[in-house]
Amino acid sequence: MSARVFNFSAGPATLNQSVLEASAAALINYRDQGVGIAEVSHRGPEFSEVLAEAEARCRSLLGIGDDYAVLFLQGGATQQFELIPMNLLRDRAEYVVSGEWAKKAAKAAARYGTVDVIGDSSASNFNQLPAFSADRQADYLHICSNNTIYGTSYPSFPDHPCLIADMSSEIMSREIDVSRFAMIYAGAQKNLGPAGVVLVIIRRDLLATIPEDVAPIFSYAAHAKAQSCLNTPPTFGIYMLLETFRWIEAQGGLAAVEAVNRRKAQYIYDAIDHSQGFYTGTVVVPEQRSLMNITFTLPDEALTKAFISQAADRGMVALKGYRTVGGIRASTYNAMPEEGCLRLAQFMAEFAETAQ
Ligand SMILES: Cc1ncc(COP(=O)(O)O)c(C=O)c1O
C-alpha cells in the first residue's frame, strides 16, 4: 500500500489512522466473534454497548449535562435544516447568514414559518461574520459556528436563551460550553467519522414542546425517546465515531486537541501573513479565522493551479478552494497531523519564493 497523503479535504475528510485501523478490524471481525460490527442487530448486545459507550464518551468529551439528549441520526446536517423548524419553529425564528450552509438553513426554515435573517455578510462574499442583534423572544436563533467554505468561525458565541448551532465543520475541535446552546448539530464527515451520521445534542426541555403531529421519524422527541434506535441507526458510522471519541480522549480530550489545532492553524496563517502579500487570507477579521478551514488566494489562476499540482506531488491533496471563493482551502480537522500543516506551511514559503 502506498503511504498515506496529507488530505486537506473539506469533507468527507481525513480520518485518524488508528481510528481507521480499529474500525477496519471491527468491520471484519468484532471482538473475535466471527462477525463484523456492521453485521449485527442494532438492538443486540454488541451494538447496544457501542451506542451506550459512544454516547457516554461524547458526553464526557463535551461536558454534556443530563439535561441534554445526545442523538446519532441519519440524514446529515441538511436534514436538520428542515427538522429544526419542523420541531421548534412556532412563531418566528432568527437566522444569521454567514455562509452558504447558513443560507441554506435559513431558506429551509422559511418553508415552515417566519424567518428573519438578522445578519447577512453575503455582500462581502462572507469574508467576515455579519454583525447582528438578536431578539431574545424569537423561538430560536440559528448560527453556523464555523463556515466551511469561507473559513470564518465565531471566536465567542451570542448569549441567547435558545441558541442553535450548526457545528458540522468544527465539532470537538475546541472546548465549548454546551450549556450556552439549546441545540448543537454536526454532520460527522469532517471531525467525527464517515458521512451518514449526524450528531444532535438537544436540551430536553425543548423536546416537550415539539408538536405531536410531527412524524416520529422527523421528531427529536421520538428519536430521544427511542435513544437513537427509532429505526436502524447508521451502525458502522456510529462505531467509527466511538473509535474517534476514544482517540480524542487518548490525546487528552478537547483542551489538548484544541492546543494542537491552534498550533496547526498558526503555521499556515503565519505562512500567509509572512508572504509579503503573495498569499491573501480571505477572512478580513483575524480573530474570526477558522482553525478548521483555512482559505487564501494567490495572485492569479495559473499560480493557484501550479500550487495545487506541486502540493499534490509532495503528498498534500484536496487543497482547491470552493468555487465561490477560489484559491486554496486547507481543511485542518482534528485528524490532520501537525506534520501535514507544517509541511504545507513550508511548501507555501518555498512556492512563494520561487514564484516571486
Ligand atoms: C457547516 C456545514 N453545514 C452543513 C453541511 C451539509 O452537511 P450534509 O452534507 O451532511 O447535509 C456542511 C457540509 O459540508 C457544512 O460544512
Side-chain angles (χ1 to χ4, degrees):
M1 193 175 79
S2 60
R4 276 169 70 77
V5 294
F6 291 115
N7 172 12
F8 290 91
S9 167
T14 191
L15 293 167
N16 172 266
Q17 179 133 6
S18 66
V19 168
L20 287 170
E21 283 167 3
S23 303
L27 183 64
I28 307 275
N29 188 0
Y30 183 63
R31 290 192 173 161
D32 218 14
Q33 292 177 21
V35 66
I37 191 63
E39 302 170 278
V40 295
S41 164
H42 59 295
R43 302 195 193 277
E46 295 88 359
F47 184 73
S48 298
E49 261 181 44
V50 166
L51 187 57
E53 188 184 334
E55 179 179 335
R57 286 186 188 268
C58 180
R59 284 183 181 278
S60 136
L61 281 168
L62 282 163
I64 305 171
D66 289 343
D67 47 339
Y68 288 80
V70 173
L71 308 174
F72 300 99
L73 305 178
Q74 305 197 29
T78 303
Q79 185 161 297
Q80 306 313 306
F81 297 168
E82 310 287 332
L83 261 54
I84 290 164
M86 283 169 85
N87 282 258
L88 302 172
L89 177 52
R90 308 273 170 277
D91 183 24
R92 193 177 72 82
E94 296 191 331
Y95 278 70
V96 179
V97 172
S98 54
E100 225 63 61
W101 297 110
K103 191 158 105 188
K104 284 196 163 81
K107 193 172 169 205
R111 279 195 276 275
Y112 302 88
T114 303
V115 165
D116 286 329
V117 172
I118 57 166
D120 180 344
S121 50
S122 57
S124 63
N125 201 28
F126 301 115
N127 65 2
Q128 58 189 298
L129 300 172
F132 61 90
S133 143
D135 169 10
R136 297 173 67 85
Q137 303 303 315
D139 290 329
Y140 59 84
L141 167 64
H142 181 280
I143 62 168
C144 179
S145 70
N146 184 84
N147 296 285
T148 325
I149 295 172
Y150 299 94
T152 52
S153 86
Y154 285 72
S156 60
F157 297 108
D159 191 26
H160 194 278
C162 198
L163 179 61
I164 300 183
D166 175 358
M167 290 200 180
S168 294
S169 49
E170 71 153 346
I171 188 85
M172 292 199 182
S173 67
R174 55 173 168 158
E175 287 191 291
I176 52 157
D177 177 359
V178 171
S179 71
R180 301 270 313 274
F181 298 86
M183 175 176 162
I184 291 170
Y185 64 102
Q189 65 270 24
K190 297 155 199 307
N191 252 344
L192 301 181
V197 188
V198 59
L199 170 66
V200 172
I201 302 162
I202 181 165
R203 220 171 51 210
R204 289 192 197 276
D205 62 326
L206 293 173
L207 299 176
T209 70
I210 294 168
E212 299 232 328
D213 61 355
V214 175
I217 196 69
F218 299 137
S219 161
Y220 294 127
H223 281 294
K225 191 163 173 228
Q227 295 181 304
S228 300
C229 283
L230 183 70
N231 63 331
T232 315
T235 53
F236 185 62
I238 294 171
Y239 184 79
M240 290 193 74
L241 264 64
L242 169 58
E243 289 293 353
T244 301
F245 298 156
R246 287 175 176 163
W247 170 69
I248 294 176
E249 272 185 23
Q251 303 310 294
L254 294 195
V257 163
E258 175 174 349
V260 176
N261 284 334
R262 288 197 182 277
R263 278 204 305 274
K264 281 159 51 183
Q266 200 58 48
Y267 298 138
I268 301 170
Y269 285 124
D270 281 349
I272 296 171
D273 295 341
H274 298 162
S275 72
Q276 279 141 9
F278 182 77
Y279 302 110
T280 308
T282 66
V283 178
V284 295
V285 182
E287 55 274 25
Q288 295 178 359
R289 282 173 155 182
S290 167
L291 297 181
M292 297 283 99
N293 308 100
I294 301 174
T295 49
F296 58 92
T297 57
L298 282 78
D300 61 46
E301 197 49 38
L303 283 168
T304 308
K305 279 199 175 129
F307 181 98
I308 291 167
S309 136
Q310 289 180 31
D313 292 343
R314 288 163 176 74
M316 293 173 281
V317 305
L319 283 161
K320 194 172 187 302
Y322 192 78
R323 63 190 153 72
T324 53
V325 185
I328 303 295
R329 170 174 54 178
S331 295
T332 53
Y333 299 122
N334 287 352
M336 168 59 63
E338 191 162 350
E339 195 201 331
C341 296
L342 260 175
R343 281 238 211 132
L344 178 60
Q346 278 159 6
F347 169 65
M348 287 170 69
E350 282 162 30
F351 187 87
E353 200 167 304
T354 48
Q356 271 167 336

PDB file of all heavy atoms in Angstrom, residues 10-11 75-79 81 101-102 144-149 166-169 185-190 195-198 333, ligand 1:
ATOM      1  N   ALA A  10     -12.251  19.145   2.576  1.00  0.00           N
ATOM      2  CA  ALA A  10     -13.205  19.808   3.484  1.00  0.00           C
ATOM      3  C   ALA A  10     -14.258  18.837   4.014  1.00  0.00           C
ATOM      4  O   ALA A  10     -14.957  19.141   4.973  1.00  0.00           O
ATOM      5  CB  ALA A  10     -13.868  20.970   2.767  1.00  0.00           C
ATOM      6  N   GLY A  11     -14.402  17.706   3.377  1.00  0.00           N
ATOM      7  CA  GLY A  11     -15.334  16.699   3.877  1.00  0.00           C
ATOM      8  C   GLY A  11     -16.116  16.028   2.759  1.00  0.00           C
ATOM      9  O   GLY A  11     -16.499  16.722   1.837  1.00  0.00           O
ATOM     10  N   GLY A  75     -29.343  11.275   7.824  1.00  0.00           N
ATOM     11  CA  GLY A  75     -29.913  12.419   7.098  1.00  0.00           C
ATOM     12  C   GLY A  75     -28.982  13.612   6.964  1.00  0.00           C
ATOM     13  O   GLY A  75     -29.283  14.550   6.227  1.00  0.00           O
ATOM     14  N   GLY A  76     -27.872  13.600   7.664  1.00  0.00           N
ATOM     15  CA  GLY A  76     -26.889  14.675   7.509  1.00  0.00           C
ATOM     16  C   GLY A  76     -27.355  15.989   8.107  1.00  0.00           C
ATOM     17  O   GLY A  76     -28.468  16.113   8.637  1.00  0.00           O
ATOM     18  N   ALA A  77     -26.487  16.969   8.017  1.00  0.00           N
ATOM     19  CA  ALA A  77     -26.817  18.291   8.548  1.00  0.00           C
ATOM     20  C   ALA A  77     -27.950  18.927   7.746  1.00  0.00           C
ATOM     21  O   ALA A  77     -28.797  19.638   8.305  1.00  0.00           O
ATOM     22  CB  ALA A  77     -25.575  19.179   8.530  1.00  0.00           C
ATOM     23  N   THR A  78     -27.998  18.637   6.458  1.00  0.00           N
ATOM     24  CA  THR A  78     -29.033  19.246   5.606  1.00  0.00           C
ATOM     25  C   THR A  78     -30.427  18.846   6.074  1.00  0.00           C
ATOM     26  O   THR A  78     -31.363  19.646   6.010  1.00  0.00           O
ATOM     27  CB  THR A  78     -28.799  18.832   4.137  1.00  0.00           C
ATOM     28  OG1 THR A  78     -27.471  19.232   3.781  1.00  0.00           O
ATOM     29  CG2 THR A  78     -29.793  19.486   3.206  1.00  0.00           C
ATOM     30  N   GLN A  79     -30.563  17.619   6.534  1.00  0.00           N
ATOM     31  CA  GLN A  79     -31.885  17.206   7.034  1.00  0.00           C
ATOM     32  C   GLN A  79     -32.248  17.991   8.295  1.00  0.00           C
ATOM     33  O   GLN A  79     -33.421  18.299   8.527  1.00  0.00           O
ATOM     34  CB  GLN A  79     -31.913  15.702   7.308  1.00  0.00           C
ATOM     35  CG  GLN A  79     -33.286  15.223   7.697  1.00  0.00           C
ATOM     36  CD  GLN A  79     -33.446  13.736   7.522  1.00  0.00           C
ATOM     37  OE1 GLN A  79     -33.360  13.206   6.424  1.00  0.00           O
ATOM     38  NE2 GLN A  79     -33.642  13.054   8.637  1.00  0.00           N
ATOM     39  N   PHE A  81     -31.606  21.040   8.744  1.00  0.00           N
ATOM     40  CA  PHE A  81     -32.113  22.350   8.307  1.00  0.00           C
ATOM     41  C   PHE A  81     -33.647  22.329   8.251  1.00  0.00           C
ATOM     42  O   PHE A  81     -34.302  23.343   8.493  1.00  0.00           O
ATOM     43  CB  PHE A  81     -31.577  22.727   6.913  1.00  0.00           C
ATOM     44  CG  PHE A  81     -30.079  22.898   6.808  1.00  0.00           C
ATOM     45  CD1 PHE A  81     -29.467  22.989   5.558  1.00  0.00           C
ATOM     46  CD2 PHE A  81     -29.282  22.999   7.934  1.00  0.00           C
ATOM     47  CE1 PHE A  81     -28.094  23.159   5.445  1.00  0.00           C
ATOM     48  CE2 PHE A  81     -27.899  23.159   7.836  1.00  0.00           C
ATOM     49  CZ  PHE A  81     -27.314  23.234   6.585  1.00  0.00           C
ATOM     50  N   TRP A 101     -23.928  27.461   3.929  1.00  0.00           N
ATOM     51  CA  TRP A 101     -24.731  26.490   4.699  1.00  0.00           C
ATOM     52  C   TRP A 101     -25.739  27.197   5.588  1.00  0.00           C
ATOM     53  O   TRP A 101     -26.883  26.748   5.723  1.00  0.00           O
ATOM     54  CB  TRP A 101     -23.811  25.576   5.518  1.00  0.00           C
ATOM     55  CG  TRP A 101     -22.930  24.768   4.627  1.00  0.00           C
ATOM     56  CD1 TRP A 101     -21.577  24.898   4.467  1.00  0.00           C
ATOM     57  CD2 TRP A 101     -23.340  23.735   3.717  1.00  0.00           C
ATOM     58  NE1 TRP A 101     -21.131  24.011   3.527  1.00  0.00           N
ATOM     59  CE2 TRP A 101     -22.181  23.290   3.055  1.00  0.00           C
ATOM     60  CE3 TRP A 101     -24.563  23.146   3.400  1.00  0.00           C
ATOM     61  CZ2 TRP A 101     -22.216  22.279   2.089  1.00  0.00           C
ATOM     62  CZ3 TRP A 101     -24.605  22.140   2.439  1.00  0.00           C
ATOM     63  CH2 TRP A 101     -23.448  21.723   1.802  1.00  0.00           C
ATOM     64  N   ALA A 102     -25.325  28.309   6.168  1.00  0.00           N
ATOM     65  CA  ALA A 102     -26.258  29.084   6.995  1.00  0.00           C
ATOM     66  C   ALA A 102     -27.404  29.607   6.130  1.00  0.00           C
ATOM     67  O   ALA A 102     -28.567  29.635   6.563  1.00  0.00           O
ATOM     68  CB  ALA A 102     -25.511  30.236   7.657  1.00  0.00           C
ATOM     69  N   CYS A 144     -24.313  29.283  12.176  1.00  0.00           N
ATOM     70  CA  CYS A 144     -23.382  28.241  11.724  1.00  0.00           C
ATOM     71  C   CYS A 144     -22.035  28.635  12.344  1.00  0.00           C
ATOM     72  O   CYS A 144     -21.475  29.679  12.000  1.00  0.00           O
ATOM     73  CB  CYS A 144     -23.311  28.217  10.197  1.00  0.00           C
ATOM     74  SG  CYS A 144     -22.159  26.984   9.577  1.00  0.00           S
ATOM     75  N   SER A 145     -21.557  27.823  13.277  1.00  0.00           N
ATOM     76  CA  SER A 145     -20.426  28.278  14.107  1.00  0.00           C
ATOM     77  C   SER A 145     -19.111  28.319  13.356  1.00  0.00           C
ATOM     78  O   SER A 145     -18.209  29.054  13.732  1.00  0.00           O
ATOM     79  CB  SER A 145     -20.301  27.396  15.352  1.00  0.00           C
ATOM     80  OG  SER A 145     -19.860  26.107  14.973  1.00  0.00           O
ATOM     81  N   ASN A 146     -18.997  27.524  12.315  1.00  0.00           N
ATOM     82  CA  ASN A 146     -17.754  27.507  11.518  1.00  0.00           C
ATOM     83  C   ASN A 146     -18.165  27.375  10.050  1.00  0.00           C
ATOM     84  O   ASN A 146     -18.845  26.418   9.684  1.00  0.00           O
ATOM     85  CB  ASN A 146     -16.881  26.332  11.933  1.00  0.00           C
ATOM     86  CG  ASN A 146     -15.537  26.333  11.214  1.00  0.00           C
ATOM     87  OD1 ASN A 146     -14.604  27.003  11.638  1.00  0.00           O
ATOM     88  ND2 ASN A 146     -15.426  25.606  10.122  1.00  0.00           N
ATOM     89  N   ASN A 147     -17.763  28.353   9.264  1.00  0.00           N
ATOM     90  CA  ASN A 147     -18.207  28.390   7.870  1.00  0.00           C
ATOM     91  C   ASN A 147     -17.168  27.712   6.971  1.00  0.00           C
ATOM     92  O   ASN A 147     -16.154  28.307   6.600  1.00  0.00           O
ATOM     93  CB  ASN A 147     -18.497  29.833   7.485  1.00  0.00           C
ATOM     94  CG  ASN A 147     -19.654  30.371   8.317  1.00  0.00           C
ATOM     95  OD1 ASN A 147     -20.807  30.030   8.072  1.00  0.00           O
ATOM     96  ND2 ASN A 147     -19.342  31.133   9.357  1.00  0.00           N
ATOM     97  N   THR A 148     -17.485  26.467   6.653  1.00  0.00           N
ATOM     98  CA  THR A 148     -16.569  25.552   5.970  1.00  0.00           C
ATOM     99  C   THR A 148     -16.014  26.140   4.680  1.00  0.00           C
ATOM    100  O   THR A 148     -14.854  25.934   4.339  1.00  0.00           O
ATOM    101  CB  THR A 148     -17.349  24.252   5.630  1.00  0.00           C
ATOM    102  OG1 THR A 148     -18.283  23.983   6.661  1.00  0.00           O
ATOM    103  CG2 THR A 148     -16.429  23.088   5.419  1.00  0.00           C
ATOM    104  N   ILE A 149     -16.852  26.839   3.961  1.00  0.00           N
ATOM    105  CA  ILE A 149     -16.460  27.339   2.633  1.00  0.00           C
ATOM    106  C   ILE A 149     -15.635  28.609   2.748  1.00  0.00           C
ATOM    107  O   ILE A 149     -14.661  28.809   2.018  1.00  0.00           O
ATOM    108  CB  ILE A 149     -17.723  27.574   1.776  1.00  0.00           C
ATOM    109  CG1 ILE A 149     -18.424  26.227   1.517  1.00  0.00           C
ATOM    110  CG2 ILE A 149     -17.394  28.324   0.488  1.00  0.00           C
ATOM    111  CD1 ILE A 149     -19.789  26.356   0.846  1.00  0.00           C
ATOM    112  N   ASP A 166     -25.108  25.018  13.997  1.00  0.00           N
ATOM    113  CA  ASP A 166     -24.566  24.000  13.089  1.00  0.00           C
ATOM    114  C   ASP A 166     -23.053  23.999  13.311  1.00  0.00           C
ATOM    115  O   ASP A 166     -22.368  24.963  12.965  1.00  0.00           O
ATOM    116  CB  ASP A 166     -24.918  24.397  11.641  1.00  0.00           C
ATOM    117  CG  ASP A 166     -24.285  23.464  10.610  1.00  0.00           C
ATOM    118  OD1 ASP A 166     -23.550  22.540  11.002  1.00  0.00           O
ATOM    119  OD2 ASP A 166     -24.544  23.681   9.403  1.00  0.00           O
ATOM    120  N   MET A 167     -22.555  22.943  13.921  1.00  0.00           N
ATOM    121  CA  MET A 167     -21.105  22.853  14.201  1.00  0.00           C
ATOM    122  C   MET A 167     -20.450  21.780  13.350  1.00  0.00           C
ATOM    123  O   MET A 167     -19.425  21.201  13.743  1.00  0.00           O
ATOM    124  CB  MET A 167     -20.869  22.554  15.686  1.00  0.00           C
ATOM    125  CG  MET A 167     -21.221  23.706  16.595  1.00  0.00           C
ATOM    126  SD  MET A 167     -20.395  23.546  18.200  1.00  0.00           S
ATOM    127  CE  MET A 167     -21.011  25.011  19.011  1.00  0.00           C
ATOM    128  N   SER A 168     -21.046  21.512  12.178  1.00  0.00           N
ATOM    129  CA  SER A 168     -20.571  20.390  11.357  1.00  0.00           C
ATOM    130  C   SER A 168     -19.065  20.416  11.137  1.00  0.00           C
ATOM    131  O   SER A 168     -18.417  19.380  11.182  1.00  0.00           O
ATOM    132  CB  SER A 168     -21.257  20.406   9.991  1.00  0.00           C
ATOM    133  OG  SER A 168     -22.632  20.151  10.137  1.00  0.00           O
ATOM    134  N   SER A 169     -18.520  21.604  10.865  1.00  0.00           N
ATOM    135  CA  SER A 169     -17.106  21.617  10.479  1.00  0.00           C
ATOM    136  C   SER A 169     -16.177  22.028  11.617  1.00  0.00           C
ATOM    137  O   SER A 169     -15.016  22.345  11.369  1.00  0.00           O
ATOM    138  CB  SER A 169     -16.898  22.504   9.247  1.00  0.00           C
ATOM    139  OG  SER A 169     -17.514  23.755   9.407  1.00  0.00           O
ATOM    140  N   TYR A 185     -25.762  20.672  16.366  1.00  0.00           N
ATOM    141  CA  TYR A 185     -25.777  19.508  15.472  1.00  0.00           C
ATOM    142  C   TYR A 185     -24.574  19.551  14.559  1.00  0.00           C
ATOM    143  O   TYR A 185     -23.986  20.621  14.320  1.00  0.00           O
ATOM    144  CB  TYR A 185     -27.088  19.427  14.678  1.00  0.00           C
ATOM    145  CG  TYR A 185     -27.333  20.568  13.711  1.00  0.00           C
ATOM    146  CD1 TYR A 185     -27.125  20.404  12.342  1.00  0.00           C
ATOM    147  CD2 TYR A 185     -27.796  21.812  14.152  1.00  0.00           C
ATOM    148  CE1 TYR A 185     -27.364  21.437  11.446  1.00  0.00           C
ATOM    149  CE2 TYR A 185     -28.021  22.855  13.268  1.00  0.00           C
ATOM    150  CZ  TYR A 185     -27.808  22.662  11.923  1.00  0.00           C
ATOM    151  OH  TYR A 185     -28.034  23.692  11.038  1.00  0.00           O
ATOM    152  N   ALA A 186     -24.186  18.360  14.091  1.00  0.00           N
ATOM    153  CA  ALA A 186     -22.989  18.277  13.256  1.00  0.00           C
ATOM    154  C   ALA A 186     -23.027  17.019  12.414  1.00  0.00           C
ATOM    155  O   ALA A 186     -23.181  15.912  12.951  1.00  0.00           O
ATOM    156  CB  ALA A 186     -21.738  18.254  14.140  1.00  0.00           C
ATOM    157  N   GLY A 187     -22.898  17.183  11.116  1.00  0.00           N
ATOM    158  CA  GLY A 187     -22.660  16.036  10.235  1.00  0.00           C
ATOM    159  C   GLY A 187     -21.301  15.472  10.628  1.00  0.00           C
ATOM    160  O   GLY A 187     -20.384  16.215  10.969  1.00  0.00           O
ATOM    161  N   ALA A 188     -21.164  14.145  10.558  1.00  0.00           N
ATOM    162  CA  ALA A 188     -19.954  13.522  11.114  1.00  0.00           C
ATOM    163  C   ALA A 188     -18.725  13.636  10.224  1.00  0.00           C
ATOM    164  O   ALA A 188     -17.598  13.509  10.696  1.00  0.00           O
ATOM    165  CB  ALA A 188     -20.231  12.042  11.370  1.00  0.00           C
ATOM    166  N   GLN A 189     -18.924  13.896   8.946  1.00  0.00           N
ATOM    167  CA  GLN A 189     -17.881  13.574   7.961  1.00  0.00           C
ATOM    168  C   GLN A 189     -16.678  14.511   7.909  1.00  0.00           C
ATOM    169  O   GLN A 189     -15.921  14.483   6.956  1.00  0.00           O
ATOM    170  CB  GLN A 189     -18.516  13.441   6.569  1.00  0.00           C
ATOM    171  CG  GLN A 189     -19.125  14.712   6.008  1.00  0.00           C
ATOM    172  CD  GLN A 189     -20.586  14.909   6.374  1.00  0.00           C
ATOM    173  OE1 GLN A 189     -21.045  14.386   7.358  1.00  0.00           O
ATOM    174  NE2 GLN A 189     -21.311  15.685   5.584  1.00  0.00           N
ATOM    175  N   LYS A 190     -16.553  15.360   8.922  1.00  0.00           N
ATOM    176  CA  LYS A 190     -15.364  16.233   8.974  1.00  0.00           C
ATOM    177  C   LYS A 190     -14.511  15.890  10.194  1.00  0.00           C
ATOM    178  O   LYS A 190     -13.363  15.526  10.051  1.00  0.00           O
ATOM    179  CB  LYS A 190     -15.783  17.699   8.989  1.00  0.00           C
ATOM    180  CG  LYS A 190     -16.517  18.068   7.689  1.00  0.00           C
ATOM    181  CD  LYS A 190     -17.433  19.225   7.884  1.00  0.00           C
ATOM    182  CE  LYS A 190     -18.496  19.354   6.831  1.00  0.00           C
ATOM    183  NZ  LYS A 190     -18.043  19.360   5.447  1.00  0.00           N
ATOM    184  N   ALA A 195     -19.324   9.934   6.527  1.00  0.00           N
ATOM    185  CA  ALA A 195     -20.631  10.504   6.218  1.00  0.00           C
ATOM    186  C   ALA A 195     -21.716   9.494   6.574  1.00  0.00           C
ATOM    187  O   ALA A 195     -21.490   8.287   6.551  1.00  0.00           O
ATOM    188  CB  ALA A 195     -20.705  10.850   4.736  1.00  0.00           C
ATOM    189  N   GLY A 196     -22.898  10.002   6.901  1.00  0.00           N
ATOM    190  CA  GLY A 196     -24.017   9.096   7.171  1.00  0.00           C
ATOM    191  C   GLY A 196     -24.496   9.159   8.612  1.00  0.00           C
ATOM    192  O   GLY A 196     -25.520   8.573   8.951  1.00  0.00           O
ATOM    193  N   VAL A 197     -23.761   9.860   9.473  1.00  0.00           N
ATOM    194  CA  VAL A 197     -24.203  10.044  10.860  1.00  0.00           C
ATOM    195  C   VAL A 197     -24.264  11.539  11.121  1.00  0.00           C
ATOM    196  O   VAL A 197     -23.397  12.283  10.667  1.00  0.00           O
ATOM    197  CB  VAL A 197     -23.203   9.454  11.886  1.00  0.00           C
ATOM    198  CG1 VAL A 197     -23.803   9.485  13.299  1.00  0.00           C
ATOM    199  CG2 VAL A 197     -22.780   8.061  11.518  1.00  0.00           C
ATOM    200  N   VAL A 198     -25.284  11.956  11.836  1.00  0.00           N
ATOM    201  CA  VAL A 198     -25.305  13.339  12.308  1.00  0.00           C
ATOM    202  C   VAL A 198     -25.502  13.293  13.825  1.00  0.00           C
ATOM    203  O   VAL A 198     -26.319  12.523  14.342  1.00  0.00           O
ATOM    204  CB  VAL A 198     -26.372  14.197  11.567  1.00  0.00           C
ATOM    205  CG1 VAL A 198     -27.760  13.643  11.744  1.00  0.00           C
ATOM    206  CG2 VAL A 198     -26.344  15.642  12.006  1.00  0.00           C
ATOM    207  N   TYR A 333      -8.783  19.548   9.971  1.00  0.00           N
ATOM    208  CA  TYR A 333      -9.600  18.940  11.018  1.00  0.00           C
ATOM    209  C   TYR A 333      -8.710  18.198  12.015  1.00  0.00           C
ATOM    210  O   TYR A 333      -7.512  17.989  11.787  1.00  0.00           O
ATOM    211  CB  TYR A 333     -10.631  17.996  10.385  1.00  0.00           C
ATOM    212  CG  TYR A 333     -11.591  18.717   9.445  1.00  0.00           C
ATOM    213  CD1 TYR A 333     -11.707  18.347   8.114  1.00  0.00           C
ATOM    214  CD2 TYR A 333     -12.373  19.780   9.908  1.00  0.00           C
ATOM    215  CE1 TYR A 333     -12.588  19.012   7.254  1.00  0.00           C
ATOM    216  CE2 TYR A 333     -13.246  20.440   9.063  1.00  0.00           C
ATOM    217  CZ  TYR A 333     -13.354  20.054   7.740  1.00  0.00           C
ATOM    218  OH  TYR A 333     -14.213  20.713   6.908  1.00  0.00           O
TER     219      TYR A 333
HETATM  220  C1  LIG B   1     -21.258  23.795   8.094  1.00  0.00           C
HETATM  221  C2  LIG B   1     -21.958  22.767   7.257  1.00  0.00           C
HETATM  222  N1  LIG B   1     -23.272  22.561   7.432  1.00  0.00           N
HETATM  223  C3  LIG B   1     -23.942  21.653   6.709  1.00  0.00           C
HETATM  224  C4  LIG B   1     -23.312  20.886   5.757  1.00  0.00           C
HETATM  225  C5  LIG B   1     -24.110  19.882   4.973  1.00  0.00           C
HETATM  226  O1  LIG B   1     -23.873  18.630   5.504  1.00  0.00           O
HETATM  227  P1  LIG B   1     -24.557  17.305   4.909  1.00  0.00           P
HETATM  228  O2  LIG B   1     -23.949  17.097   3.562  1.00  0.00           O
HETATM  229  O3  LIG B   1     -24.171  16.273   5.907  1.00  0.00           O
HETATM  230  O4  LIG B   1     -26.011  17.514   4.850  1.00  0.00           O
HETATM  231  C6  LIG B   1     -21.937  21.054   5.542  1.00  0.00           C
HETATM  232  C7  LIG B   1     -21.257  20.244   4.525  1.00  0.00           C
HETATM  233  O5  LIG B   1     -20.130  20.438   4.162  1.00  0.00           O
HETATM  234  C8  LIG B   1     -21.257  22.030   6.299  1.00  0.00           C
HETATM  235  O6  LIG B   1     -19.946  22.239   6.117  1.00  0.00           O
END
